[in-house]
Amino acid sequence: MTGWGAGQRVRIGILTKVFTAELIDAAIAKHDRAEQRRRLLPARLVVYFVLALCLFARESYEEVLRVLTSGIPGSRALTRVNRSSLCRARSRLGEDVLETLFREVAGPLATSATPGAWWRGLRLLALDGTQFDLPDSASNGDTFDGPSTGGIPFGFPQVRAVVLAEIGTHGVIDARLGGYRDGERSLAYRLAGSTGPGDLVIADRGFWSVEFAHAFTVTGANLLVRLQSNHLGTAQKELPDGSYLSMMRPGKEVRLRAGREGRTLPKHTIYRVITSTKDGKATYLATSLLDPEQYPSAELIALYRERWEIELAFDEIKNHLGPGGPIRSRTAEGVRQELWAYLAVHHAIRRFAHAAVLVGPAVDADRISYLKCVRIIRRSIPSQLGGNKAKLTRSLAEGGQEARSRLLPARRNRNCPRAIKKPNRWPVLRTRAGRDVVEPGRWVLNQTKKQKISRRAGRPALKSGQAT
């Protein structure tokens, strides 16, 4: 068998149940990325390779390809493929194929039998933003930007992602990617189309506005959002449970911007404000659920804590699945391709974990170890379990039983203020590639400007005689 034939037989273990060859071929054909001649690295193999990069985030390109093709007769030619060929294959594939693949597999996972996914008949969803660190390359810095101080950039370039996830299963339903300077609220507007009647979207401070509320409620979804103290609006009516109805109007600039973009905003928005106090500090929640009898305030206050489940989903993607640091792509298109792959793989793993939840007596998805599911899937790839339907079905059942073999203890409610547990005593400003040189940061305990000639904050020290 030739290398091309071996490449056509590559699968991705248990995840082949989600990423079928037919689904991948359809995404490739949609964007006209199919190869025009027989290549050693066909487009389908490259898609599986990009997905495998997310499962083995700390391994090299060559090692990931060996793991992916081991056990396939005639794959000896593929083991001799070098890194540059794999980089060019990723570039030929582009980012649109992986985005289409993510949107095909993403969606709600919870059923009526899924514990912790529903409240009073409403599906619980969480919305929040996060940042992914990128390699320090000129392409990433120019495209996505990153943190800066005094106009001088430092640290890693970053991608901002706003994600809509299911609370009960941690499955990502939709996501939008942008640069470091893009606002989370502007990216969140485009997630409203993935919600509908019967959904309750829980979000943190900074999202609430007339535009945000209108974008989601017009689809039939309900909102539970923490308010800033200057977004309480104008009180209209006191309710028996201590909450009250409030009204907010869009500002002049908001109306003008909506008119330029062809959008229509309501003249005012009515919402319910719930106040809770802890340790003398008041917290305000806004919700579109206006009936205090059907939706009690005490339950909504307790329900808001469930928003933290999306923070655990971010931890799963970045640390348990990802490298725990900057991702590997050094070009803007490669970054977006890799991030869509991460979201798709995470959703597929969560689908596998949810299937394990329902194998026997239903348990909360929080008690299924995500890291154990990742390890089960990694072990399934070298044996090419996805090549045979009977073997794949049997392996899925065995993997589900293994995932349930040792459940995690029931999770406690999060009731802890944010704090830096290990502060950095020696902060140093580091410039990004192709940027200006900055002076190293000063020690925290010694606020003096001490010259450090041999250290150039992110750039190697220059030898004597070289130009500055």
Side-chain angles (χ1 to χ4, degrees), residues 10-48:
V10 168
R11 298 295 183 269
I12 195 166
I14 291 178
L15 293 190
T16 308
K17 185 71 173 179
V18 180
F19 304 113
T20 62
E22 294 77 16
L23 180 64
I24 290 177
D25 290 343
I28 292 171
K30 178 180 179 180
H31 299 286
D32 195 22
R33 295 293 181 174
E35 60 273 8
Q36 302 299 319
R37 57 182 175 86
R38 287 194 172 189
R39 290 183 176 272
L40 189 60
L41 297 174
R44 185 197 297 174
L45 169 60
V46 179
V47 173
Y48 280 130

Side-chain angles (χ1 to χ4, degrees), residues 195-392:
T195 62
D199 293 337
L200 176 59
V201 181
I202 306 177
D204 200 4
R205 286 184 298 186
F207 284 100
W208 183 263
S209 68
V210 174
E211 290 179 288
F212 180 81
H214 176 69
F216 282 86
T217 55
V218 75
T219 66
N222 296 287
L223 292 173
L224 177 63
V225 184
R226 187 175 175 181
L227 284 177
Q228 296 173 333
S229 58
N230 58 345
H231 282 66
L232 301 182
T234 304
Q236 301 293 309
K237 179 182 178 181
E238 292 284 344
L239 298 178
D241 63 345
S243 61
Y244 62 92
L245 298 182
S246 185
M247 181 182 68
M248 179 180 289
R249 300 178 185 274
K252 180 180 179 180
E253 294 183 2
V254 174
R255 294 197 308 269
L256 293 177
R257 182 174 65 248
R260 289 193 299 268
E261 297 174 357
R263 296 182 290 111
T264 303
L265 294 179
K267 294 182 179 180
H268 63 270
T269 298
I270 300 294
Y271 54 98
R272 179 178 165 204
V273 178
I274 302 172
T275 305
S276 63
T277 304
K278 181 180 178 181
D279 298 332
K281 184 178 180 180
T283 301
Y284 306 98
L285 299 177
T287 179
S288 58
L289 303 171
L290 305 182
D291 190 347
E293 295 184 0
Q294 187 176 0
Y295 307 105
S297 297
E299 294 186 19
L300 287 171
I301 293 172
L303 188 65
Y304 176 76
R305 298 176 183 171
E306 296 295 318
R307 187 198 68 82
W308 282 96
E309 294 296 326
I310 196 172
E311 303 290 350
L312 300 178
F314 292 154
D315 180 64
E316 293 168 357
I317 297 173
K318 293 180 178 181
N319 300 318
H320 298 315
L321 181 62
I327 63 177
R328 68 176 82 215
S329 299
R330 302 185 65 85
T331 64
E333 186 178 34
V335 164
R336 287 187 286 263
Q337 181 192 76
E338 188 174 355
L339 288 179
W340 290 124
Y342 268 114
L343 293 172
V345 171
H346 175 265
H347 190 277
I349 296 172
R350 270 300 165 190
R351 181 179 293 188
F352 169 73
H354 181 252
V357 166
L358 304 179
V359 167
V363 296
D364 199 319
D366 295 339
R367 303 192 63 189
I368 300 293
S369 172
Y370 178 82
L371 188 56
K372 180 185 287 188
C373 293
V374 173
R375 289 168 176 165
I376 292 171
I377 292 169
R378 285 172 179 166
R379 291 198 308 265
S380 71
I381 293 179
S383 55
Q384 291 297 318
L385 298 178
N388 184 293
K389 290 185 178 180
K391 187 186 294 186
L392 177 60

